[in-house]
């Protein structure tokens, strides 16, 4: 009986390790999203710069 109760209690109250794991997973997901957005921004910037260089050659 005591074991069942303990398990039930453990299930509701999260311990430090599971909270840490949850935060870590969330941080990893967030970092992946930010990295993806930065990659898109960098590629967009590179394309715009290349177009600017090509445009300036034709304008000059």
């Amino acid at each position: 009986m005591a074991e069942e109760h303990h398990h039930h209690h453990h299930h509701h109250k999260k311990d430090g390790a599971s909270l840490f794991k949850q935060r870590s997973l969330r941080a990893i997901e967030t970092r992946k999203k930010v990295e993806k957005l930065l990659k898109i921004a960098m590629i967009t910037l590179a394309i715009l710069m290349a177009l600017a260089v090509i445009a300036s050659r034709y304008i000059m």
Side-chain angles (χ1 to χ4, degrees):
M1 184 77 183
E3 280 184 65
E4 273 185 85
H5 178 74
H6 177 74
H7 180 75
H8 181 77
H9 176 76
H10 178 75
H11 207 71
H12 280 274
K13 191 183 179 206
K14 297 199 174 189
D15 61 339
S18 60
L19 279 172
F20 176 77
K21 190 178 176 185
Q22 211 175 15
R23 287 194 193 116
S24 295
L25 288 170
R26 243 187 257 134
I28 291 165
E29 280 181 42
T30 305
R31 198 178 71 228
K32 282 182 183 176
K33 286 177 188 171
V34 170
E35 284 177 3
K36 191 177 180 181
L37 285 171
L38 284 173
K39 194 182 280 183
I40 292 167
M42 293 287 280
I43 292 167
T44 305
L45 196 65
I47 292 167
L48 288 172
M49 286 176 70
L51 289 172
V53 169
I54 293 164
S56 69
R57 292 224 174 144
Y58 283 109
I59 292 165
M60 290 294 181

